[in-house]
Coordinates of all heavy atoms in Angstrom, one line a residue:
M1 N 3.8 -15.0 -21.1 CA 4.1 -13.6 -20.8 C 4.2 -13.4 -19.3 O 3.4 -14.0 -18.5 CB 2.9 -12.8 -21.4 CG 3.1 -11.3 -21.3 SD 2.0 -10.2 -22.1 CE 1.1 -11.2 -23.3
P2 N 5.2 -12.6 -18.9 CA 5.4 -12.4 -17.5 C 4.2 -11.7 -16.8 O 3.4 -10.9 -17.4 CB 6.6 -11.4 -17.5 CG 7.3 -11.7 -18.7 CD 6.2 -12.0 -19.7
T3 N 4.0 -11.9 -15.5 CA 3.0 -11.3 -14.7 C 3.8 -10.3 -13.8 O 4.8 -10.6 -13.3 CB 2.3 -12.3 -13.8 OG1 1.6 -13.3 -14.7 CG2 1.3 -11.7 -12.9
Y4 N 3.2 -9.1 -13.6 CA 3.7 -8.1 -12.8 C 2.8 -7.6 -11.7 O 1.6 -7.5 -12.0 CB 4.2 -6.9 -13.6 CG 5.3 -7.2 -14.6 CD1 5.0 -7.6 -15.9 CD2 6.6 -7.1 -14.2 CE1 6.0 -7.9 -16.8 CE2 7.6 -7.4 -15.0 CZ 7.4 -7.8 -16.3 OH 8.4 -8.1 -17.2
L5 N 3.3 -7.3 -10.6 CA 2.5 -6.7 -9.5 C 3.0 -5.2 -9.4 O 4.2 -4.9 -9.3 CB 2.8 -7.4 -8.1 CG 2.1 -6.8 -6.9 CD1 0.6 -7.0 -7.1 CD2 2.6 -7.5 -5.7
I6 N 2.0 -4.3 -9.5 CA 2.3 -2.9 -9.5 C 1.8 -2.3 -8.2 O 0.6 -2.5 -7.9 CB 1.7 -2.2 -10.7 CG1 2.3 -2.7 -12.1 CG2 2.0 -0.7 -10.7 CD1 1.4 -3.8 -12.7
E7 N 2.6 -1.6 -7.5 CA 2.2 -0.8 -6.3 C 2.0 0.6 -6.7 O 3.0 1.3 -7.2 CB 3.3 -1.0 -5.2 CG 2.9 -0.3 -4.0 CD 4.0 -0.4 -2.9 OE1 3.9 -1.4 -2.2 OE2 4.8 0.5 -2.8
R8 N 0.8 1.1 -6.5 CA 0.5 2.5 -6.8 C 0.2 3.2 -5.5 O -0.8 2.9 -4.8 CB -0.7 2.6 -7.8 CG -0.5 1.8 -9.1 CD -1.7 2.0 -10.0 NE -1.7 1.1 -11.1 CZ -1.0 1.2 -12.2 NH1 -0.1 2.1 -12.3 NH2 -1.1 0.3 -13.1
E9 N 1.0 4.2 -5.1 CA 0.7 5.0 -3.9 C -0.3 6.1 -4.2 O 0.0 7.0 -5.0 CB 2.0 5.6 -3.4 CG 3.0 4.5 -2.9 CD 4.3 5.1 -2.3 OE1 4.3 6.3 -2.1 OE2 5.2 4.3 -2.1
I10 N -1.5 5.9 -3.7 CA -2.6 6.8 -3.9 C -3.2 7.1 -2.5 O -4.1 6.4 -2.0 CB -3.7 6.2 -4.9 CG1 -3.0 5.9 -6.2 CG2 -4.8 7.2 -5.1 CD1 -3.9 5.2 -7.2
P11 N -2.8 8.2 -1.9 CA -3.3 8.5 -0.6 C -4.9 8.6 -0.6 O -5.5 9.2 -1.5 CB -2.7 9.9 -0.3 CG -1.5 10.0 -1.1 CD -1.8 9.2 -2.3
G12 N -5.5 7.9 0.4 CA -6.9 7.9 0.5 C -7.6 6.9 -0.5 O -8.8 7.0 -0.7
A13 N -6.8 6.0 -1.1 CA -7.4 5.1 -2.1 C -8.6 4.3 -1.6 O -9.6 4.1 -2.3 CB -6.3 4.1 -2.7
G14 N -8.5 4.0 -0.3 CA -9.6 3.2 0.3 C -10.9 4.0 0.4 O -11.9 3.4 0.6
N15 N -10.8 5.3 0.3 CA -12.0 6.1 0.4 C -12.5 6.6 -1.0 O -13.5 7.3 -1.0 CB -11.7 7.4 1.2 CG -11.3 7.0 2.6 OD1 -12.0 6.2 3.2 ND2 -10.3 7.7 3.2
L16 N -11.9 6.1 -2.1 CA -12.4 6.4 -3.4 C -13.8 5.9 -3.6 O -14.1 4.7 -3.2 CB -11.5 5.9 -4.5 CG -10.1 6.5 -4.6 CD1 -9.2 5.7 -5.5 CD2 -10.2 8.0 -5.0
S17 N -14.7 6.7 -4.2 CA -16.1 6.2 -4.4 C -16.2 5.2 -5.5 O -15.2 5.1 -6.3 CB -17.0 7.4 -4.7 OG -16.6 7.9 -6.0
D18 N -17.3 4.5 -5.6 CA -17.5 3.6 -6.8 C -17.4 4.3 -8.1 O -16.8 3.8 -9.0 CB -18.9 3.0 -6.7 CG -19.0 1.9 -5.5 OD1 -17.9 1.5 -5.0 OD2 -20.1 1.6 -5.2
D19 N -17.9 5.6 -8.2 CA -17.8 6.3 -9.4 C -16.3 6.7 -9.7 O -15.9 6.7 -10.9 CB -18.6 7.6 -9.3 CG -20.1 7.4 -9.5 OD1 -20.5 6.3 -9.9 OD2 -20.9 8.2 -9.1
Q20 N -15.5 7.0 -8.7 CA -14.1 7.4 -8.9 C -13.4 6.1 -9.4 O -12.5 6.2 -10.3 CB -13.5 7.9 -7.6 CG -14.0 9.3 -7.3 CD -13.5 9.8 -5.9 OE1 -13.7 9.1 -4.9 NE2 -12.9 10.9 -5.9
L21 N -13.6 5.0 -8.8 CA -13.0 3.7 -9.2 C -13.4 3.4 -10.6 O -12.5 2.9 -11.4 CB -13.3 2.6 -8.2 CG -12.7 2.8 -6.8 CD1 -13.2 1.7 -5.8 CD2 -11.2 2.7 -6.8
K22 N -14.6 3.6 -10.9 CA -15.1 3.3 -12.3 C -14.4 4.2 -13.3 O -13.9 3.7 -14.3 CB -16.6 3.5 -12.4 CG -17.2 3.2 -13.8 CD -18.7 3.4 -13.8 CE -19.2 3.1 -15.2 NZ -20.7 3.2 -15.2
S23 N -14.2 5.5 -13.0 CA -13.5 6.4 -13.9 C -12.1 6.0 -14.1 O -11.5 6.0 -15.2 CB -13.6 7.8 -13.3 OG -12.9 8.7 -14.1
I24 N -11.4 5.6 -13.0 CA -10.0 5.2 -13.0 C -9.9 3.9 -13.9 O -9.0 3.8 -14.8 CB -9.4 4.9 -11.6 CG1 -9.3 6.2 -10.8 CG2 -8.1 4.2 -11.7 CD1 -9.0 6.0 -9.4
S25 N -10.8 3.0 -13.7 CA -10.8 1.8 -14.5 C -11.1 2.0 -16.0 O -10.4 1.4 -16.8 CB -11.9 0.8 -13.9 OG -11.6 0.5 -12.6
Q26 N -12.0 2.9 -16.3 CA -12.3 3.3 -17.7 C -11.0 3.9 -18.3 O -10.7 3.6 -19.5 CB -13.5 4.2 -17.7 CG -14.8 3.6 -17.4 CD -15.9 4.5 -17.3 OE1 -15.8 5.7 -17.0 NE2 -17.1 4.0 -17.6
T27 N -10.3 4.8 -17.6 CA -9.1 5.4 -18.1 C -8.1 4.3 -18.4 O -7.5 4.3 -19.5 CB -8.5 6.4 -17.2 OG1 -9.5 7.5 -17.0 CG2 -7.2 7.0 -17.7
S28 N -7.9 3.4 -17.5 CA -6.9 2.3 -17.7 C -7.3 1.4 -18.9 O -6.4 1.1 -19.7 CB -6.9 1.4 -16.4 OG -6.0 0.4 -16.6
C29 N -8.5 1.1 -19.0 CA -9.0 0.2 -20.1 C -8.8 0.9 -21.4 O -8.4 0.3 -22.4 CB -10.4 -0.2 -19.9 SG -10.6 -1.4 -18.6
S30 N -9.1 2.2 -21.5 CA -8.9 3.0 -22.7 C -7.4 3.0 -23.1 O -7.1 2.8 -24.3 CB -9.4 4.4 -22.5 OG -9.2 5.2 -23.6
V31 N -6.5 3.2 -22.2 CA -5.1 3.2 -22.5 C -4.7 1.8 -22.9 O -3.9 1.7 -23.9 CB -4.3 3.7 -21.2 CG1 -2.8 3.5 -21.5 CG2 -4.6 5.1 -20.9
L32 N -5.1 0.8 -22.3 CA -4.8 -0.6 -22.7 C -5.2 -0.9 -24.1 O -4.5 -1.5 -24.8 CB -5.4 -1.6 -21.7 CG -4.8 -1.6 -20.3 CD1 -5.6 -2.4 -19.3 CD2 -3.4 -2.1 -20.3
K33 N -6.4 -0.4 -24.4 CA -7.0 -0.7 -25.8 C -6.1 -0.1 -26.8 O -5.8 -0.7 -27.8 CB -8.4 -0.1 -25.9 CG -9.0 -0.4 -27.2 CD -10.5 0.1 -27.2 CE -11.1 -0.2 -28.6 NZ -12.5 0.3 -28.7
N34 N -5.6 1.2 -26.5 CA -4.7 1.8 -27.5 C -3.3 1.2 -27.6 O -2.7 1.3 -28.6 CB -4.6 3.3 -27.1 CG -5.9 4.1 -27.4 OD1 -6.7 3.7 -28.3 ND2 -6.2 5.1 -26.7
M35 N -2.9 0.6 -26.5 CA -1.6 0.0 -26.4 C -1.6 -1.4 -27.1 O -0.5 -1.9 -27.5 CB -1.1 -0.2 -25.0 CG -0.8 1.1 -24.3 SD -0.1 0.9 -22.6 CE 1.5 0.4 -23.0
G36 N -2.7 -2.0 -27.3 CA -2.8 -3.3 -28.0 C -2.8 -4.5 -27.1 O -2.8 -4.3 -25.9
P37 N -2.8 -5.7 -27.6 CA -3.0 -6.9 -26.9 C -1.8 -7.4 -26.1 O -1.9 -8.4 -25.4 CB -3.5 -7.9 -27.9 CG -2.8 -7.4 -29.2 CD -2.8 -5.9 -29.1
A38 N -0.7 -6.7 -26.2 CA 0.5 -7.2 -25.5 C 0.5 -7.0 -24.0 O 1.3 -7.6 -23.3 CB 1.8 -6.6 -26.1
I39 N -0.4 -6.1 -23.5 CA -0.5 -5.8 -22.1 C -2.0 -6.1 -21.7 O -2.9 -5.7 -22.4 CB 0.0 -4.4 -21.8 CG1 -0.1 -4.1 -20.3 CG2 -0.8 -3.4 -22.6 CD1 0.6 -2.8 -19.9
K40 N -2.1 -6.7 -20.5 CA -3.5 -7.0 -20.0 C -3.5 -6.8 -18.5 O -2.7 -7.2 -17.8 CB -3.8 -8.5 -20.3 CG -5.2 -8.9 -19.9 CD -5.5 -10.3 -20.4 CE -6.9 -10.6 -19.9 NZ -7.2 -12.0 -20.3
W41 N -4.6 -6.1 -18.1 CA -4.9 -5.9 -16.7 C -5.7 -7.1 -16.2 O -6.8 -7.4 -16.7 CB -5.6 -4.6 -16.5 CG -6.1 -4.2 -15.1 CD1 -5.6 -4.6 -13.9 CD2 -7.2 -3.4 -14.8 NE1 -6.3 -4.1 -12.9 CE2 -7.4 -3.3 -13.4 CE3 -8.2 -2.7 -15.6 CZ2 -8.3 -2.6 -12.8 CZ3 -9.2 -2.0 -15.0 CH2 -9.2 -2.0 -13.6
L42 N -5.2 -7.7 -15.1 CA -6.0 -8.9 -14.6 C -6.9 -8.5 -13.4 O -8.1 -8.8 -13.4 CB -5.0 -9.9 -14.1 CG -4.0 -10.5 -15.2 CD1 -3.1 -11.5 -14.6 CD2 -4.8 -11.0 -16.4
Q43 N -6.4 -7.7 -12.4 CA -7.2 -7.3 -11.3 C -6.4 -6.3 -10.5 O -5.2 -6.2 -10.6 CB -7.6 -8.5 -10.5 CG -6.5 -9.3 -9.9 CD -7.0 -10.6 -9.3 OE1 -8.1 -11.1 -9.6 NE2 -6.1 -11.3 -8.6
S44 N -7.1 -5.7 -9.5 CA -6.4 -4.8 -8.6 C -7.0 -4.9 -7.2 O -8.2 -5.3 -7.1 CB -6.6 -3.3 -9.1 OG -5.9 -3.1 -10.3
Y45 N -6.2 -4.6 -6.2 CA -6.6 -4.6 -4.8 C -6.5 -3.2 -4.3 O -5.4 -2.6 -4.3 CB -5.7 -5.6 -4.0 CG -5.8 -7.0 -4.6 CD1 -4.9 -7.4 -5.6 CD2 -6.8 -7.9 -4.1 CE1 -5.0 -8.7 -6.1 CE2 -6.8 -9.2 -4.6 CZ -5.9 -9.6 -5.6 OH -6.0 -10.9 -6.1
V46 N -7.5 -2.7 -3.7 CA -7.5 -1.3 -3.2 C -7.4 -1.4 -1.7 O -8.1 -2.1 -1.0 CB -8.8 -0.6 -3.5 CG1 -8.8 0.9 -2.9 CG2 -9.1 -0.5 -5.0
T47 N -6.3 -0.7 -1.1 CA -6.1 -0.7 0.3 C -6.2 0.8 0.7 O -6.6 1.6 -0.1 CB -4.7 -1.2 0.7 OG1 -3.7 -0.4 0.1 CG2 -4.6 -2.7 0.1
N48 N -5.9 1.1 2.0 CA -6.1 2.4 2.5 C -5.4 3.5 1.6 O -6.1 4.4 1.2 CB -5.5 2.5 3.9 CG -5.9 3.8 4.6 OD1 -6.9 4.3 4.4 ND2 -4.9 4.3 5.4
D49 N -4.1 3.3 1.4 CA -3.4 4.4 0.6 C -2.6 3.9 -0.6 O -1.7 4.5 -1.1 CB -2.3 5.1 1.6 CG -3.0 5.9 2.6 OD1 -4.0 6.6 2.3 OD2 -2.6 5.9 3.8
K50 N -3.0 2.7 -1.0 CA -2.3 2.1 -2.2 C -3.3 1.2 -3.0 O -4.3 0.7 -2.5 CB -1.1 1.2 -1.8 CG 0.0 2.0 -1.1 CD 1.1 1.1 -0.7 CE 2.2 1.9 0.0 NZ 3.3 1.1 0.4
I51 N -3.0 1.1 -4.3 CA -3.7 0.1 -5.1 C -2.6 -0.8 -5.7 O -1.6 -0.3 -6.2 CB -4.5 0.8 -6.2 CG1 -5.6 1.7 -5.6 CG2 -5.1 -0.2 -7.2 CD1 -6.4 2.5 -6.6
Y52 N -2.9 -2.1 -5.5 CA -2.0 -3.1 -6.1 C -2.6 -3.7 -7.3 O -3.7 -4.3 -7.2 CB -1.7 -4.2 -5.0 CG -1.0 -3.6 -3.8 CD1 -1.7 -3.2 -2.7 CD2 0.4 -3.6 -3.8 CE1 -1.0 -2.7 -1.6 CE2 1.1 -3.1 -2.6 CZ 0.4 -2.6 -1.6 OH 1.0 -2.1 -0.5
C53 N -1.9 -3.7 -8.4 CA -2.5 -4.1 -9.7 C -1.7 -5.3 -10.2 O -0.5 -5.4 -10.1 CB -2.5 -3.0 -10.7 SG -3.4 -1.5 -10.2
V54 N -2.4 -6.3 -10.8 CA -1.7 -7.4 -11.4 C -1.9 -7.3 -12.9 O -3.1 -7.2 -13.4 CB -2.4 -8.7 -10.9 CG1 -1.6 -9.9 -11.5 CG2 -2.3 -8.8 -9.4
Y55 N -0.8 -7.3 -13.7 CA -0.8 -7.2 -15.1 C 0.0 -8.3 -15.8 O 0.9 -8.8 -15.1 CB -0.2 -5.8 -15.5 CG -1.1 -4.7 -15.5 CD1 -1.6 -4.1 -14.3 CD2 -1.6 -4.0 -16.6 CE1 -2.4 -3.1 -14.2 CE2 -2.4 -2.9 -16.6 CZ -2.8 -2.5 -15.3 OH -3.7 -1.4 -15.3
K56 N -0.3 -8.6 -17.0 CA 0.5 -9.4 -17.9 C 1.1 -8.4 -18.9 O 0.3 -7.6 -19.5 CB -0.3 -10.5 -18.5 CG -0.8 -11.5 -17.6 CD -0.3 -12.9 -18.0 CE -0.7 -14.0 -17.1 NZ 0.3 -14.8 -16.6
A57 N 2.4 -8.5 -19.1 CA 3.0 -7.7 -20.1 C 4.4 -8.3 -20.5 O 4.9 -9.1 -19.7 CB 3.2 -6.3 -19.6
P58 N 4.9 -8.0 -21.7 CA 6.2 -8.5 -22.1 C 7.4 -8.0 -21.3 O 8.4 -8.7 -21.2 CB 6.3 -8.2 -23.5 CG 5.3 -7.1 -23.8 CD 4.3 -7.2 -22.7
N59 N 7.2 -6.8 -20.7 CA 8.3 -6.2 -19.9 C 7.8 -5.1 -19.0 O 6.7 -4.6 -19.2 CB 9.4 -5.7 -20.9 CG 8.8 -4.7 -21.9 OD1 8.2 -3.7 -21.5 ND2 8.9 -5.1 -23.2
P60 N 8.7 -4.7 -18.0 CA 8.2 -3.7 -17.1 C 8.1 -2.3 -17.8 O 7.3 -1.5 -17.3 CB 9.3 -3.7 -16.0 CG 10.5 -4.4 -16.6 CD 9.9 -5.3 -17.6
E61 N 8.8 -2.1 -18.8 CA 8.7 -0.8 -19.5 C 7.3 -0.6 -20.0 O 6.9 0.6 -20.0 CB 9.8 -0.7 -20.7 CG 11.2 -0.7 -20.2 CD 11.8 -2.0 -19.7 OE1 11.2 -3.1 -20.1 OE2 12.7 -2.0 -19.0
M62 N 6.7 -1.6 -20.5 CA 5.3 -1.5 -21.0 C 4.4 -1.1 -19.8 O 3.4 -0.3 -20.0 CB 4.9 -2.7 -21.7 CG 3.5 -2.5 -22.4 SD 3.1 -3.9 -23.5 CE 3.7 -3.1 -25.0
I63 N 4.6 -1.6 -18.7 CA 3.8 -1.3 -17.5 C 4.0 0.2 -17.2 O 3.0 0.9 -16.9 CB 4.2 -2.1 -16.3 CG1 4.0 -3.6 -16.5 CG2 3.5 -1.7 -15.0 CD1 2.6 -4.1 -16.6
L64 N 5.2 0.7 -17.2 CA 5.5 2.1 -16.9 C 4.9 3.0 -18.0 O 4.4 4.1 -17.6 CB 7.0 2.3 -16.8 CG 7.7 1.6 -15.6 CD1 9.2 1.7 -15.7 CD2 7.1 2.1 -14.3
E65 N 4.9 2.5 -19.2 CA 4.3 3.3 -20.3 C 2.8 3.5 -20.1 O 2.2 4.5 -20.3 CB 4.6 2.7 -21.6 CG 4.0 3.5 -22.8 CD 4.6 4.9 -23.0 OE1 5.5 5.3 -22.3 OE2 4.1 5.6 -24.0
H66 N 2.1 2.4 -19.7 CA 0.7 2.4 -19.4 C 0.4 3.4 -18.3 O -0.5 4.2 -18.3 CB 0.2 1.0 -19.0 CG -1.2 1.0 -18.4 ND1 -1.4 1.1 -17.1 CD2 -2.4 1.0 -19.0 CE1 -2.7 1.1 -16.9 NE2 -3.3 1.0 -18.0
A67 N 1.3 3.4 -17.2 CA 1.1 4.3 -16.1 C 1.3 5.8 -16.6 O 0.5 6.6 -16.2 CB 2.1 4.0 -15.0
R68 N 2.3 6.0 -17.4 CA 2.5 7.4 -17.9 C 1.3 7.9 -18.7 O 0.8 9.0 -18.5 CB 3.8 7.4 -18.7 CG 4.2 8.8 -19.2 CD 5.4 8.8 -20.1 NE 5.0 8.2 -21.4 CZ 4.3 8.9 -22.4 NH1 3.9 10.1 -22.2 NH2 4.1 8.3 -23.5
L69 N 0.9 7.0 -19.6 CA -0.2 7.4 -20.5 C -1.5 7.6 -19.8 O -2.3 8.5 -20.1 CB -0.4 6.4 -21.6 CG 0.7 6.3 -22.6 CD1 0.5 5.1 -23.6 CD2 0.8 7.6 -23.5
G70 N -1.7 6.8 -18.7 CA -3.0 6.9 -17.9 C -2.9 8.0 -16.8 O -3.9 8.3 -16.2
G71 N -1.7 8.5 -16.5 CA -1.6 9.4 -15.4 C -1.6 8.7 -14.1 O -2.0 9.4 -13.1
F72 N -1.2 7.5 -14.0 CA -1.3 6.7 -12.8 C 0.1 6.6 -12.2 O 1.1 6.5 -13.0 CB -1.7 5.3 -13.0 CG -3.0 5.1 -13.8 CD1 -3.0 4.4 -15.0 CD2 -4.2 5.6 -13.3 CE1 -4.2 4.3 -15.7 CE2 -5.3 5.5 -14.0 CZ -5.3 4.8 -15.2
P73 N 0.3 6.6 -10.9 CA 1.6 6.3 -10.3 C 1.9 4.8 -10.5 O 1.0 4.0 -10.6 CB 1.5 6.6 -8.8 CG 0.0 6.5 -8.6 CD -0.7 6.8 -9.8
A74 N 3.2 4.5 -10.6 CA 3.7 3.1 -10.6 C 4.9 3.1 -9.8 O 6.0 3.2 -10.3 CB 3.9 2.6 -12.0
N75 N 4.7 3.2 -8.5 CA 5.8 3.3 -7.6 C 6.8 2.1 -7.5 O 8.0 2.3 -7.2 CB 5.3 3.7 -6.2 CG 4.4 4.9 -6.2 OD1 3.2 4.8 -6.3 ND2 5.0 6.1 -6.1
L76 N 6.2 1.0 -7.7 CA 7.0 -0.2 -7.7 C 6.4 -1.2 -8.7 O 5.2 -1.5 -8.7 CB 7.1 -0.8 -6.3 CG 7.9 -2.1 -6.1 CD1 9.4 -1.8 -6.3 CD2 7.7 -2.6 -4.7
V77 N 7.3 -1.8 -9.6 CA 6.8 -2.8 -10.5 C 7.7 -4.0 -10.2 O 8.9 -4.0 -10.4 CB 7.0 -2.3 -12.0 CG1 6.6 -3.4 -12.9 CG2 6.2 -1.1 -12.2
S78 N 7.1 -5.1 -9.9 CA 7.8 -6.4 -9.5 C 7.3 -7.5 -10.4 O 6.1 -7.7 -10.5 CB 7.6 -6.7 -8.0 OG 8.0 -5.7 -7.2
E79 N 8.2 -8.3 -10.9 CA 7.8 -9.4 -11.7 C 7.4 -10.6 -10.7 O 8.1 -10.8 -9.7 CB 8.9 -9.9 -12.6 CG 8.5 -11.1 -13.5 CD 9.5 -11.4 -14.6 OE1 10.5 -10.7 -14.7 OE2 9.3 -12.4 -15.2
V80 N 6.3 -11.2 -11.0 CA 5.9 -12.4 -10.2 C 6.5 -13.6 -10.8 O 6.3 -13.9 -12.0 CB 4.3 -12.5 -10.2 CG1 3.9 -13.7 -9.4 CG2 3.7 -11.2 -9.6
F81 N 7.2 -14.4 -10.0 CA 7.9 -15.6 -10.5 C 7.1 -16.8 -10.2 O 7.1 -17.8 -10.9 CB 9.3 -15.7 -10.0 CG 10.2 -14.6 -10.5 CD1 10.5 -13.5 -9.7 CD2 10.7 -14.7 -11.8 CE1 11.3 -12.5 -10.2 CE2 11.5 -13.7 -12.3 CZ 11.8 -12.6 -11.5
T82 N 6.4 -16.8 -9.0 CA 5.6 -18.0 -8.6 C 4.4 -17.5 -7.8 O 4.6 -16.5 -7.1 CB 6.5 -18.9 -7.8 OG1 7.7 -19.3 -8.5 CG2 5.7 -20.2 -7.3
I83 N 3.3 -18.2 -7.9 CA 2.2 -18.0 -7.0 C 2.0 -19.2 -6.1 O 2.1 -20.3 -6.6 CB 0.9 -17.8 -7.9 CG1 1.1 -16.5 -8.8 CG2 -0.3 -17.6 -7.0 CD1 -0.1 -16.3 -9.8
I84 N 1.9 -18.9 -4.8 CA 1.7 -19.9 -3.9 C 0.4 -19.7 -3.1 O -0.1 -18.6 -3.1 CB 2.8 -20.1 -2.9 CG1 3.0 -18.8 -2.0 CG2 4.1 -20.4 -3.6 CD1 4.0 -18.9 -0.9
D85 N -0.2 -20.7 -2.6 CA -1.4 -20.6 -1.8 C -1.4 -21.8 -0.8 O -0.4 -22.5 -0.7 CB -2.7 -20.7 -2.8 CG -2.8 -21.9 -3.6 OD1 -2.3 -23.0 -3.1 OD2 -3.4 -21.9 -4.7
P86 N -2.5 -22.0 -0.1 CA -2.5 -23.1 0.9 C -2.2 -24.4 0.4 O -1.6 -25.3 1.1 CB -3.9 -23.0 1.6 CG -4.2 -21.5 1.4 CD -3.7 -21.1 0.1
T87 N -2.5 -24.7 -0.9 CA -2.3 -26.0 -1.5 C -0.8 -26.3 -1.7 O -0.4 -27.4 -1.8 CB -3.1 -26.2 -2.8 OG1 -2.6 -25.2 -3.7 CG2 -4.6 -26.0 -2.6
T88 N 0.0 -25.2 -1.7 CA 1.5 -25.4 -1.8 C 2.0 -26.2 -0.6 O 3.0 -26.9 -0.8 CB 2.1 -24.0 -1.9 OG1 1.5 -23.2 -2.9 CG2 3.6 -24.1 -2.2
A89 N 1.4 -26.1 0.5 CA 1.8 -26.8 1.7 C 1.5 -28.3 1.7 O 2.0 -29.0 2.5 CB 1.2 -26.2 3.0
E90 N 0.7 -28.7 0.7 CA 0.3 -30.1 0.7 C 1.4 -31.0 0.1 O 2.2 -30.6 -0.7 CB -1.0 -30.3 -0.1 CG -2.1 -29.6 0.6 CD -3.4 -29.5 -0.3 OE1 -3.4 -30.0 -1.4 OE2 -4.4 -29.0 0.3

């Protein structure tokens, strides 16, 4: 199943409290549960004004549907083709 990187523009994301992040996560998980096993959230990275999420899904349309149902922005959805790290240089 393809992996996608989602860029969500959320001004002040880096200042969200633990409770706010928990609430956002709970909403996302609830939407995912209702959408079924074809889509899976792997992890997210919170920066100053954006949240970058990594998902597995059969297509980008499913990612956009999750965003719509959860009330989340999905400003950019990019398919990940390869993952590299320092061992790639070896």
Side-chain angles (χ1 to χ4, degrees):
M1 183 173 339
T3 299
Y4 293 93
L5 180 66
I6 300 96
E7 180 180 274
R8 304 184 192 283
E9 293 182 12
I10 303 174
N15 295 320
L16 292 170
S17 70
D18 289 345
D19 285 342
Q20 288 171 308
L21 292 170
K22 181 177 181 179
S23 177
I24 291 168
S25 298
Q26 288 172 334
T27 298
S28 180
C29 288
S30 176
V31 171
L32 289 169
K33 183 177 178 183
N34 289 332
M35 291 182 75
I39 181 170
K40 183 176 179 182
W41 174 29
L42 301 180
Q43 61 194 12
S44 295
Y45 301 90
V46 180
T47 67
N48 189 39
D49 290 319
K50 295 180 182 180
I51 298 179
Y52 297 91
C53 303
V54 182
Y55 277 71
K56 292 239 179 229
N59 55 59
E61 292 77 22
M62 188 168 265
I63 299 291
L64 294 172
E65 180 67 2
H66 170 265
R68 185 188 69 77
L69 292 171
F72 310 119
N75 303 93
L76 182 63
V77 177
S78 301
E79 185 171 353
V80 176
F81 294 103
T82 303
I83 298 173
I84 63 172
D85 62 28
T87 63
T88 307
E90 297 173 359

